[in-house]
Amino acid sequence: MTPTAHILTIEPLTHEAFAPFGDVIEASDAVRHFPINAGNTERFHDLAKLEAHDGRLIMSIFRGQPRALPFTISMMERHPHGSQAFVPMSGLPYLVVVARPGEAPTAGDLRCFLAKAEQGVNYAAGTWHHPLLALHAVSDFLVVDRSGSSPNCDEVMLDPVAIIPAI
């Protein structure tokens, strides 16, 4: 007999709710900011704790195919040797599914966040997360993560699975 799928609740992405998993990257009054360049630029400062153990930080662009909802979450991954930051470039919202660092998560451990088009996320090293979940259209993301000689991706299959319902 197959266990019943766990239905996820889609939550808004906020700094407070996402804190156990990493950082929200956005230009808002919730973060330290100040004027620079003779007042012509507002600097939103030190938005994410970027980590690269046994390697170096690299910058890439990931192009995500849109996912149709409802969507089944059957696998989660983590990067134990570095953080992984995603900054949307396509002006579209997307979904973020995470679980706390540590032992392999179950479907009941997962949280699902709806990120606004202007919000990025930085997964702390070891945070379980689902790969990119673009919505509506093909979407580009600027990604800062670790490159190194040691393996840096653990995957776990979920049983039962989790379902992201239609919005």
Side-chain angles (χ1 to χ4, degrees):
M1 184 167 153
T2 303
T4 303
H6 179 77
I7 307 300
L8 296 174
T9 300
I10 301 172
E11 308 172 50
L13 182 65
T14 66
H15 290 270
E16 298 76 22
F18 198 73
F21 314 107
D23 311 295
V24 175
I25 302 169
E26 69 179 332
S28 76
D29 287 337
V31 299
R32 183 174 171 222
H33 58 100
F34 47 88
I36 60 171
N37 303 122
N40 290 311
T41 303
E42 187 78 8
R43 178 178 178 145
F44 293 84
H45 185 72
D46 196 13
L47 299 177
K49 181 182 177 193
L50 302 175
E51 302 172 77
H53 310 286
D54 184 33
R56 66 185 186 90
L57 290 172
I58 62 169
M59 187 179 300
S60 307
I61 293 176
F62 287 15
R63 181 162 289 153
Q65 299 300 310
R67 310 290 183 125
L69 298 181
F71 182 78
T72 301
I73 303 292
S74 59
M75 184 276 295
M76 295 289 284
E77 67 180 31
R78 70 176 174 183
H79 306 286
H81 300 297
S83 58
Q84 192 174 43
F86 288 79
V87 179
M89 298 172 62
S90 298
L92 296 168
Y94 61 102
L95 292 172
V96 176
V97 175
V98 290
R100 290 179 186 263
E103 297 298 315
T106 66
D109 297 325
L110 305 184
R111 294 193 51 197
C112 181
F113 296 97
L114 177 61
K116 297 175 188 173
E118 64 275 6
Q119 292 179 306
V121 294
N122 180 53
Y123 302 123
T127 295
W128 291 99
H129 61 278
H130 190 275
L132 191 57
L133 291 165
L135 296 171
H136 312 301
V138 173
S139 298
D140 287 349
F141 292 80
L142 181 67
V143 177
V144 178
D145 62 353
R146 174 208 172 264
S147 179
S149 58
S150 58
N152 189 32
C153 186
D154 300 328
E155 294 182 354
V156 64
M157 300 306 291
L158 299 176
D159 186 22
V161 298
I163 305 289
I164 302 172
I167 298 176

